[in-house]
Amino acid sequence: MENVALLSKHAIVVATKKLVHKCTVHETIRVKSGAWDESGVFIYTTLNHIKYCLPNGDSGIIRTLDVPVYITKVSGNSIYCLDRDGKNRVIQIDATEYTFKLALIQKKFDQVLQMIQSLQLCGQSIIAYLQQKGFPEVALHFVKDEQTRFNLAVECGNTEVAVASAKEIDQKDCWHRLGVEALRQGNHEIVEYAYQKTKNFERLSFLYLITGNLEKLEKMLKIAEMRNDIMGRFHNALYLGDVQERVRILEESNHLPLAYATAKVHGLTEAAEDLEAKLLGDNKSVPSLPEEEKSVLLMPPRPILQENNWPLLVVTKGLFEGAFAETVGAADMEDDEAAGAWGAEMEIVEPEEGLNGEAVIVVDEEDRGDDEEGGWEMEDLEIPADAHVPEVAHETAFFVTPTVGMPKSQSWIQNSSLAGEHAAAGSFDSAMRLLSRQLGIQNFTPLKNIFLELSLASQSLLPTLVSVPELPLFLERGWTDSSPVNAKGSPAILTKLSSLEEKLKVAYKTTTEGKFTDALRLFLDILHTIPVVVVDSRKEVDEVKELLGIAKEYTLALRIELKRKEPALKEDLLRQSELAAYFTHCQLQPTHLKLSLQSAMSICFKAKNYNTAAAIARRLLELNLSPAVATKARQVLQVSEKNPRDEMKLNYDPRNPFVVCGATYTPIYRGSRDVSCPYCKARFVPETANKLCPVCDLAVVGADASGLLCSPSQMR
């Protein structure tokens, strides 16, 4: 169990086993008792209800109670409890609702899909929950009410379902919302269809303008004329750059000065003279116009091409879309058949007066196919006579038997959250996604060879007869002769905890010998292998985490020591003294701690930093030393205490607890702000956030991660 629940009078606090707060549920009625079920849901009772609390804080009612009970155990759909008489009782509950919500939160979509198909989960509470948690596409399959279906379809961007629901509802507001959503997706055909249904002529004209459809824009000009819409006519003429039509509209509207000015500046001499005569005949002044050299005509540019729907990527259907494909009804098929009609031309009929006096618009939905287009143009090609194509040897082709059922490598990862198993199955993409989510890893270059080794080690080829392909064999962990043929197994993992422990012993020995570069490489190998290790028991999980901590401490310590030995710091006694002192504060084995303290004591003593050398000598004398080393430490302490001062001002205070920053190699004292690597847990100054961890070279410092997952026992 990874979580604990703390019960108070009117609240339940859920935390991890390390008491890290996760959520709090408040109750108005007193909480009586509670227990965890196998799936990690906390079931509790109040005075008159049995309720549940999910790990994310969502809660709900399972059933009501006649009398208060006190839960002792939850198993499946049974609750074992005591009543107020002290008698054992078994209460049956329906765990469907909270099991469904838990699977949705944990993104176990295969389980969600199975529950949707096999159980009756319809209800406004389920629909509202799905919509609230960001799964409107799942809620869409529960809803029968067309208005609700339309709202959900628009929210999740499913224009096909939205069109079908809008046809059933047939309200102006729905068509308007559909047009807005389709325009956001760049589906101009649906936008056009929605504008036609709502008779939104202004938007329709502007849509034809921005898509370069001048032919339909001319038809919109005729429609505006039939509707006696002066502004609509003028706007369409302006969009088309039709100056004669604009002059005619202004003249019919009795705006003679504007009509004259328009005709004059656009070079329509005859029309301008006629309008000038009319103005003089009405005793009106002819407007004066600026010189032509200073005038610029505003004409719309001619479209180079006509814009179609935005191109879409070809993607596979989602889990729920594919599962519910069979539920698509005749209405959806009608939508597919009508898809070509949304962009059809609008035929203009003779003006017929409707109920409101508006002209009737007829949308032609006939097939656009035309024999004059030439079909597929399957013409004969003039191929040169000297072109020679060798005959294909048909007898060399052979039949490949299709694989029966699901591939073994896919069944390995179907319900697995272990990155090592995904890598062994050859599913590198899913393995990288798991490591990124669990450990915040972003740099996968050091893991490339490990992934390839895991994949190759989990498969084998069995040679058969000559000219017959080898038979692939999939090696499974824990397989025996008595295992069922179709039993679900797990891939054999090349990297084991025992091999890492052997590598750790070699790294210890190399460190003792002073081969720091080789030792650093070995500890980095351990750090890079742990993310894909798979173990069986919880005890081994703790051992893996302990190994991770050891590898991190030694990697940091060795990087500090190698930094101190760089040629650039050879003359910098101040920095050398600081790095030598920091080296002694890494969590090392006693043997290596003694060696690091001896080295730091000598460096500080030679640099005349006697106060620091004395402090290190005292720490050294607390350990089990050989007589020679103990004598030397006492001599350094005696000399340093006579002159207890440092020649240089070191950034080092041994009395104030601190950790060493893995990037700047400076102390981070207790109480100071810091950030950590989500994988190796190395600590850094805040400026290192969102950068690649310089200790493990895998994860991003400060990234969110759920934690190391290396055993099936952690998922039970």
Side-chain angles (χ1 to χ4, degrees):
M1 185 62 64
E2 295 293 330
N3 299 324
V4 295
L6 310 177
L7 274 61
S8 64
K9 186 175 181 180
H10 292 289
I12 298 173
V13 179
V14 178
T16 65
K17 60 183 180 182
K18 294 185 178 180
L19 296 184
V20 178
H21 179 265
K22 296 188 69 173
C23 64
T24 301
V25 178
H26 296 279
E27 291 289 342
T28 56
I29 303 176
R30 186 166 184 172
V31 178
K32 293 294 184 181
S33 62
W36 294 93
D37 76 343
E38 298 93 336
S39 60
V41 178
F42 187 69
I43 310 298
Y44 65 97
T45 61
T46 62
L47 189 64
N48 48 14
H49 287 108
I50 298 177
K51 295 187 174 184
Y52 64 86
C53 174
L54 300 180
N56 67 342
D58 293 338
S59 60
I61 298 175
I62 299 177
R63 59 167 292 176
T64 58
L65 293 172
D66 298 329
V67 294
V69 295
Y70 301 88
I71 298 178
T72 56
K73 181 183 177 182
V74 180
S75 177
N77 290 336
S78 300
I79 292 181
Y80 299 87
C81 55
L82 297 173
D83 57 17
R84 285 188 168 176
D85 296 331
K87 296 180 180 179
N88 286 314
R89 293 180 56 183
V90 180
I91 300 177
Q92 298 297 324
I93 61 172
D94 184 4
T96 304
E97 180 179 339
Y98 71 75
T99 305
F100 176 80
K101 292 181 178 180
L102 181 65
L104 197 66
I105 293 171
Q106 296 177 345
K107 300 188 184 304
K108 296 180 179 178
F109 295 126
D110 52 348
Q111 185 177 347
V112 172
L113 182 60
Q114 182 181 1
M115 296 181 70
I116 293 175
Q117 292 175 333
S118 61
L119 301 174
Q120 298 296 324
L121 284 168
C122 186
Q124 291 298 324
S125 61
I126 290 292
I127 295 169
Y129 183 83
L130 290 168
Q131 192 171 6
Q132 176 188 357
K133 295 300 177 182
F135 298 95
E137 69 278 5
V138 183
L140 193 60
H141 301 292
F142 287 100
V143 181
K144 302 300 181 184
D145 179 64
E146 292 297 342
Q147 183 65 52
T148 308
R149 281 178 62 83
F150 177 81
N151 294 334
L152 291 171
V154 169
E155 184 177 345
C156 64
N158 192 333
T159 53
E160 295 181 2
V161 177
V163 168
S165 298
K167 285 183 177 180
E168 296 293 331
I169 301 170
D170 199 18
Q171 293 180 1
K172 187 174 181 179
D173 180 62
C174 291
W175 288 115
H176 174 72
R177 289 182 57 195
L178 177 61
V180 172
E181 176 62 24
L183 188 63
R184 187 185 66 84
Q185 297 184 15
N187 195 327
H188 301 145
E189 293 180 350
I190 298 181
V191 176
E192 179 185 5
Y193 186 67
Y195 288 168
Q196 289 174 1
K197 295 292 289 185
T198 57
K199 297 183 180 180
N200 197 332
F201 301 107
E202 292 81 4
R203 293 177 182 267
L204 196 56
S205 297
F206 195 75
L207 175 67
Y208 293 149
L209 171 67
I210 62 176
T211 55
N213 199 332
L214 299 184
E215 185 178 352
K216 291 186 178 180
L217 201 55
E218 291 175 355
K219 294 183 183 296
M220 292 301 300
L221 178 60
K222 295 179 181 179
I223 293 173
E225 185 176 358
M226 291 162 48
R227 297 175 60 245
N228 296 322
D229 184 1
I230 301 298
M231 288 303 298
R233 287 177 59 193
F234 189 81
H235 283 157
N236 285 294
L238 193 63
Y239 296 156
L240 289 166
D242 191 343
V243 181
Q244 293 89 344
E245 182 66 20
R246 280 155 53 193
V247 171
R248 187 163 65 89
I249 293 171
L250 292 172
E251 185 179 358
E252 291 176 0
S253 303
N254 203 26
H255 293 293
L256 297 180
L258 290 176
Y260 169 77
T262 304
K264 185 69 174 177
V265 297
H266 287 85
L268 303 179
T269 308
E270 295 181 2
E273 291 175 353
D274 293 341
L275 290 168
E276 183 178 1
K278 289 183 180 181
L279 287 171
L280 295 175
D282 295 340
N283 296 323
K284 295 181 179 179
S285 60
V286 178
S288 60
L289 301 175
E291 299 178 5
E292 294 183 0
E293 292 79 5
K294 300 179 180 179
S295 303
V296 179
L297 298 180
L298 297 177
M299 297 291 289
R302 302 294 297 180
I304 299 176
L305 53 87
Q306 181 174 331
E307 182 67 28
N308 297 319
N309 288 347
W310 289 355
L312 302 176
L313 292 175
V314 179
V315 297
T316 57
K317 286 189 174 182
L319 179 66
F320 297 102
E321 291 177 326
F324 292 101
E326 67 272 11
T327 62
V328 177
D332 294 329
M333 298 180 65
E334 290 175 3
D335 293 344
D336 295 338
E337 295 172 357
W342 289 341
E345 298 181 358
M346 297 174 59
E347 296 295 335
I348 310 301
V349 299
E350 293 296 327
E352 296 182 4
E353 295 295 329
L355 296 177
N356 53 2
E358 293 185 352
V360 179
I361 302 173
V362 179
V363 181
D364 185 10
E365 297 186 356
E366 295 181 356
D367 190 1
R368 284 196 253 178
D370 194 348
D371 294 339
E372 296 179 359
E373 294 182 359
W376 293 101
E377 300 181 357
M378 298 293 185
E379 299 177 358
D380 293 335
L381 302 178
E382 296 180 2
I383 301 176
D386 57 350
H388 175 69
V389 179
E391 294 293 332
V392 178
H394 295 283
E395 63 272 11
T396 60
F398 58 90
F399 175 73
V400 179
T401 306
T403 305
V404 180
M406 182 185 299
K408 197 68 176 178
S409 58
Q410 185 176 348
S411 67
W412 282 346
I413 65 174
Q414 190 173 22
N415 294 316
S416 174
S417 297
L418 303 179
E421 293 185 349
H422 284 249
S427 181
F428 296 161
D429 288 341
S430 60
M432 288 189 288
R433 286 196 298 270
L434 286 172
L435 291 177
S436 178
R437 185 171 66 246
Q438 295 170 2
L439 301 176
I441 294 178
Q442 296 296 330
N443 180 27
F444 293 97
T445 303
L447 303 180
K448 179 180 178 181
N449 291 334
I450 299 175
F451 276 21
L452 293 174
E453 290 173 358
L454 287 172
S455 179
L456 293 174
S458 65
Q459 302 179 30
S460 180
L461 294 175
L462 178 64
T464 55
L465 301 177
V466 180
S467 74
V468 177
E470 298 89 347
L471 294 177
L473 298 178
F474 296 92
L475 309 180
E476 293 190 340
R477 185 171 72 254
W479 184 87
T480 60
D481 294 338
S482 60
S483 300
V485 177
N486 297 322
K488 185 180 182 305
S490 301
I493 304 298
L494 176 65
T495 56
K496 300 182 181 296
L497 180 59
S498 57
S499 63
L500 292 181
E501 290 174 343
E502 291 298 324
K503 185 175 290 186
L504 178 64
K505 294 177 182 178
V506 176
Y508 279 159
K509 182 180 178 182
T510 309
T511 304
T512 306
E513 295 172 352
K515 301 176 182 178
F516 297 138
T517 303
D518 295 339
L520 178 61
R521 178 178 52 80
L522 291 170
F523 282 112
L524 280 176
D525 286 345
I526 295 174
L527 277 179
H528 295 164
T529 307
I530 287 177
V532 293
V533 167
V534 177
V535 295
D536 296 323
S537 64
R538 286 298 185 94
K539 180 182 178 181
E540 290 177 320
V541 172
D542 295 336
E543 292 176 358
V544 170
K545 293 180 178 179
E546 182 182 0
L547 181 61
L548 173 61
I550 293 172
K552 182 265 294 184
E553 288 292 335
Y554 270 86
T555 301
L556 176 59
L558 293 172
R559 288 188 187 277
I560 293 173
E561 184 64 10
L562 292 174
K563 178 71 175 177
R564 186 186 67 81
K565 293 188 175 184
E566 289 181 356
L569 298 179
K570 187 175 182 180
E571 303 298 331
D572 191 351
L573 297 180
L574 171 63
R575 187 58 175 157
Q576 281 205 28
S577 300
E578 289 178 343
L579 292 175
Y582 301 156
F583 187 22
T584 65
H585 286 268
C586 296
Q587 302 299 319
L588 307 178
Q589 293 294 309
T591 302
H592 303 140
L593 180 60
K594 285 189 287 188
L595 294 172
S596 66
L597 287 170
Q598 291 180 54
S599 174
M601 180 182 68
S602 300
I603 292 171
C604 292
F605 187 80
K606 292 177 182 179
K608 298 182 180 181
N609 295 317
Y610 298 122
N611 191 32
T612 304
I616 296 175
R618 293 188 190 96
R619 290 176 57 195
L620 184 60
L621 289 170
E622 294 175 357
L623 304 177
N624 186 15
L625 304 175
S626 63
V629 175
T631 301
K632 183 178 179 181
R634 292 190 185 94
Q635 291 174 350
V636 170
L637 179 60
Q638 184 179 6
V639 174
S640 299
E641 286 180 342
K642 292 180 180 179
N643 187 18
R645 57 180 296 274
D646 289 338
E647 185 72 18
M648 309 164 186
K649 186 177 181 181
L650 303 181
N651 183 15
Y652 174 67
D653 183 3
R655 293 167 295 183
N656 190 359
F658 68 87
V659 293
V660 182
C661 173
T664 61
Y665 304 129
T666 55
I668 304 175
Y669 292 103
R670 182 178 296 175
S672 303
R673 293 181 57 231
D674 64 350
V675 290
S676 62
C677 171
Y679 168 50
C680 69
K681 307 304 180 185
R683 307 272 285 280
F684 302 90
V685 293
E687 291 75 17
T688 317
N690 301 322
K691 296 180 181 178
L692 191 65
C693 174
V695 176
C696 64
D697 197 29
L698 293 177
V700 173
V701 177
D704 292 331
S706 58
L708 178 64
L709 199 63
C710 60
S711 172
S713 63
Q714 293 175 276
M715 299 182 290
R716 293 170 187 163

